Amino acid sequence: MNRADLNNHGDLNLQVDLAGIKLKTPVLLASGPAGYGHEYRELLDFRTLGAIIVKGISLEPWTGNLPPRLAETSCGLLNAVGLQNPGVEYFLKEDLPALRNSGTKVIVNVVGCSPDEYAAVTSRLDGKEGIDGLEINISCPNVKAGGMAFGTDPKATAKLVEKVRRETELPLVIKLTPNVTDISTVARAAETAGADGLSLINTLAGMLIDTENQKPLLGNTFGGLSGPAVMPVALKMVWQAAAAVRIPVLGMGGINSADDALQFIMAGARAVAIGTGLFYNPGLPVEINKGLAGYLHDKGYNSLAEVEGVARRQKGAD
Amino acid sequence: MVAPGFCRLSLEAPKIAAAARPGQFVQVYMFSGRRPMLPRPFSIFNANPGQGQISFFIEVKGPGTAMLAAAKKNETWSLLGPLGNGFPAMPEGSLLVAGGAGIAPLVFLAASTQKERLLIYGAPSATMLTCPSSDLDLPGLITLEATEDGSRGEKGTAPELLAVKIKEASAVFSCGPCGMLAAVKSLCVSHGVPGWVSVEERMACGIGACVGCVIKTGNGYRRVCKDGPVFPVEEVVFDEQG
Ligand SMILES: Cc1cc2nc3c(=O)[nH]c(=O)nc-3n(C[C@H](O)[C@H](O)[C@H](O)COP(=O)(O)OP(=O)(O)OC[C@H]3O[C@@H](n4cnc5c(N)ncnc54)[C@H](O)[C@@H]3O)c2cc1C
Ligand SMILES: Cc1cc2nc3c(=O)[nH]c(=O)nc-3n(C[C@H](O)[C@H](O)[C@H](O)COP(=O)(O)O)c2cc1C
Ligand code: FES
């Protein structure tokens, strides 16, 4: 194949339908690293993205955790931002209008300290022009109340999802935590309670100690690990979740190349999201799109759907 | 290498050189295949729009700075910048206070004007005063050195020297370790002299998106990469341990 062929996959179809959201490409920005999109729009053409999932939004503004909030690990990143966000009213007024014409779909990550707060944020976001779906974050390890507490207990997960479901017709994706012993039960609980899709993984709980100062490196003591270090763990959990449910799965955790992304698709993910990888290389989403299209072309596939879950079928896992 | 553990790195970056203001910084990307590292932030030490060049003054601390210190001629690196707010214009009679590698943004600042200005450059000992004297040889700039062990210049710390000189200063501009900046803050506040400091925090995106690089200020948490790295000194809240 010559170079011209390699760069011309215009006829190839990278579109996917994630929980009722039609995505131009299967590469999304994960919630958090890109904030509300303003800054990365200068570095990255958002039309190449399936969607941006904006950083977690609560009812009132949250100030976030004490610094330092970041620490680099071997092939990974530990963060304890603590869901600092300006609150839902500010988001609707100041962030959403710019996102509406950014050239990509918008999924809003919802957080709260109580089921009532999740429901209240959801109802404020419901029906707003420019919001294509919601990702309910029941998996943040960096906040004391709420967050991960809901996502580690299948009963609490089901209750929360039912409550939020009543507030909106928007596609509902539930974001799961890897900090559980059995991802399948939580995945099934979310599906039964009315989720349209699942996304995973959020970060793995962890910490580091500064031996010079003899104290934890992060201001919050504990943080969440992301980046290539977590990729095999994430892949396994996506595999397991995809086996447990019929709704589509958005895979993420350490994706840093087109090959990583393909592995998630082959494990059963409908689409993938990039978080930490964007820090290493803001051009990563474009690279992944190219790599996926190149793979489909080389292997003679017409769409990504043909490779979704293939590794599972190879193993007779379905 | 300009001294053990320090290097001065010049790069061709015409767009950054043309746009850079003193106090701004650049993210240097560290692509390395399957073992990626976050980009590393460095203050702009020198910008020459005519030649399309910028330079950094780097203290080797870990893997990223070691890679940069080992960079060879004609290698290509990905850069993002100039980033951050930079220092405000410097009035006549300003005092610049640098600690260790914190000299980097202040050399660019000092080179941006011909106005009367004094640089206090402090370090624990003479071997840590690593900035090449040719870079400090600027028209009208007077440099006072301070070492804690007295091995060069005045014996004492940069803030101790600042305490003597601040009465004549119209403004103070400073960059260095946290402890030093905290001392600069109390001197500025007690003498009623306006001051600006360039601070550091660990970064990821470098452009204001991830809210990972915040510091505590009188106005809540502020992002070093976007709201800073230069802050009015009275705004910054220094913890006792820094
Ligand atoms: C705005 C800004 C401007 C800077 N300008 C310069 C400069 O002109 N010259 C220079 O030598 N250094 C500068 N630094 C610090 C420099 O970015 C770090 O020393 C470098 O990232 C360390 O990378 P490493 O891989 O070599 O070491 P690592 O192993 O990553 O770290 C070594 C040590 O440096 C500390 N460190 C790591 N990243 C940072 C950071 N972003 N801020 C503060 N400490 C950090 C770590 O805690 C550790 O103690 C600047 C930092 C910031 C935020
Ligand atoms: C700095 C940072 C902030 C994050 N903020 C959020 C958030 O607000 N809500 C959320 O659901 N996940 C958040 N995450 C988790 C990511 O969306 C993602 O699930 C995780 O980082 C794994 O993917 P990655 O390895 O590609 O980063 C954050 C991650 C990072 C690194
Ligand atoms: S490093 Fe991301 S906001 Fe400053």
Side-chain angles (χ1 to χ4, degrees):
Chain A
M1 189 173 39
N2 62 37
R3 266 201 93 75
D5 283 340
L6 255 178
N7 292 321
N8 180 15
H9 308 296
D11 49 335
L12 272 170
N13 184 2
L14 284 182
Q15 291 171 22
V16 293
D17 182 319
L18 179 77
I21 315 169
K22 304 252 178 313
L23 307 178
K24 235 182 310 181
T25 79
V27 181
L28 292 78
L29 295 188
S31 174
Y36 303 99
H38 308 293
E39 297 82 9
Y40 272 101
R41 274 179 76 181
E42 289 178 26
L43 302 186
L44 176 66
D45 184 351
F46 275 24
R47 289 170 303 183
T48 62
L49 300 172
I52 174 175
I53 310 178
V54 299
K55 181 156 181 64
I57 290 287
S58 51
L59 197 55
E60 302 292 334
W62 286 5
T63 52
N65 287 330
L66 208 68
R69 292 176 171 182
L70 301 171
E72 193 169 22
T73 68
S74 296
C75 295
L77 172 67
L78 199 59
N79 93 81
V81 169
L83 293 172
Q84 174 178 335
N85 82 87
V88 68
E89 297 309 328
Y90 184 97
F91 169 76
L92 288 171
K93 195 156 159 272
E94 304 293 335
D95 298 314
L96 187 60
L99 284 167
R100 266 187 208 123
N101 45 42
S102 66
T104 193
K105 299 267 159 121
V106 177
I107 299 175
V108 181
N109 185 271
V110 175
V111 297
C113 287
S114 65
D116 286 340
E117 183 172 0
Y118 279 93
V121 178
T122 301
S123 118
R124 266 314 269 142
L125 295 170
D126 182 57
K128 294 288 179 298
E129 187 202 334
I131 299 178
D132 300 287
L134 301 182
E135 179 181 61
I136 309 300
N137 176 4
I138 54 167
S139 47
C140 183
N142 294 336
V143 288
K144 287 199 178 65
M148 201 170 84
F150 297 106
T152 49
D153 173 2
K155 281 202 195 89
T157 297
K159 266 203 181 140
L160 185 71
V161 174
E162 275 165 22
K163 197 171 170 75
V164 171
R165 179 76 283 175
R166 282 196 289 272
E167 303 295 330
T168 185
E169 299 274 296
L170 280 168
L172 263 192
V173 175
I174 310 301
K175 181 149 182 193
L176 304 182
T177 171
N179 302 301
V180 292
T181 34
D182 181 11
I183 196 81
S184 332
T185 41
V186 188
R188 269 193 295 269
E191 180 183 40
T192 312
D196 301 308
L198 301 177
S199 63
L200 67 157
I201 60 173
N202 207 317
T203 54
L204 278 157
M207 72 176 291
L208 285 172
I209 289 174
D210 177 345
T211 52
E212 205 52 51
N213 294 318
Q214 306 186 333
K215 59 175 194 184
L217 226 154
L218 295 175
N220 187 52
T221 306
F222 302 146
L225 182 64
S226 62
V230 310
M231 186 273 192
V233 177
L235 188 63
K236 172 198 174 247
M237 294 196 137
V238 165
W239 175 285
Q240 290 176 306
V245 298
R246 308 180 72 96
I247 51 178
V249 173
L250 172 64
M252 70 188 91
I255 295 175
N256 199 35
S257 67
D259 191 76
D260 292 343
L262 259 176
Q263 293 189 49
F264 278 82
I265 307 278
M266 290 184 179
R270 176 70 46 88
V272 295
I274 314 293
T276 307
L278 202 61
F279 297 145
Y280 301 132
N281 174 11
L284 186 61
V286 179
E287 250 172 54
I288 294 179
N289 279 329
K290 277 201 186 131
L292 292 177
Y295 183 88
L296 296 183
H297 177 271
D298 291 353
K299 303 278 177 189
Y301 292 112
N302 293 312
S303 75
L304 207 60
E306 294 167 60
V307 277
E308 184 179 318
V310 288
R312 317 178 52 78
R313 295 197 280 282
Q314 294 286 344
K315 274 275 169 194
D318 281 327
Chain B
M1 287 282 162
V2 293
F6 284 82
C7 75
R8 187 185 191 291
L9 192 66
S10 291
L11 297 126
E12 221 156 287
K15 281 189 198 145
I16 298 177
R21 284 179 283 113
Q24 290 189 300
F25 71 99
V26 168
Q27 285 271 74
V28 180
Y29 285 88
M30 298 273 152
F31 306 110
S32 46
R34 296 191 69 83
R35 296 182 183 281
M37 280 199 283
L38 293 169
R40 301 304 198 239
F42 298 99
S43 298
I44 301 169
F45 176 61
N46 183 288
N48 186 330
Q51 294 177 349
Q53 286 199 340
I54 57 166
S55 59
F56 302 130
F57 183 63
I58 297 175
E59 179 178 7
V60 177
K61 283 199 158 172
T65 46
M67 271 168 71
L68 280 165
K72 301 206 175 55
K73 224 184 156 114
N74 295 326
E75 268 180 20
T76 304
W77 290 75
S78 284
L79 308 178
L80 180 64
L83 302 170
N85 59 356
F87 289 109
M90 188 167 51
E92 192 85 30
S94 289
L95 255 175
L96 285 62
V97 185
I103 187 88
L106 296 178
V107 169
F108 188 13
L109 180 67
S112 68
T113 173
Q114 307 257 337
K115 285 179 189 158
E116 184 200 326
R117 61 224 187 278
L118 178 72
L119 169 69
I120 297 174
Y121 181 22
S125 71
T127 52
M128 305 290 285
L129 290 172
T130 50
C131 183
S133 51
S134 57
D135 285 302
L136 298 177
D137 185 13
L138 298 165
L141 175 72
I142 302 163
T143 304
L144 290 180
E145 295 172 331
T147 53
E148 283 165 44
D149 64 2
S151 51
R152 204 159 105 197
E154 303 278 328
K155 186 170 167 31
T157 64
E160 279 163 12
L161 203 50
L162 174 65
V164 179
K165 298 283 175 189
I166 194 165
K167 294 174 198 89
E168 301 138 41
S170 57
V172 172
F173 298 83
S174 185
C175 181
C178 248
M180 185 194 99
L181 296 183
V184 168
K185 174 179 174 171
S186 52
L187 283 168
C188 284
V189 170
S190 63
H191 288 83
V193 176
W196 284 270
V197 290
S198 174
V199 300
E200 295 185 1
E201 187 48 87
R202 293 181 184 83
M203 290 184 179
C205 72
I207 54 175
C210 74
V211 286
C213 65
V214 302
I215 55 159
K216 226 195 286 181
T217 77
N219 300 316
Y221 293 134
R222 313 272 323 262
R223 300 162 299 181
V224 170
C225 70
K226 185 89 175 182
D227 307 313
V230 176
F231 293 92
V233 73
E234 70 275 8
E235 235 186 64
V236 182
V237 178
F238 295 99
D239 289 335
E240 68 287 9
Q241 274 181 300

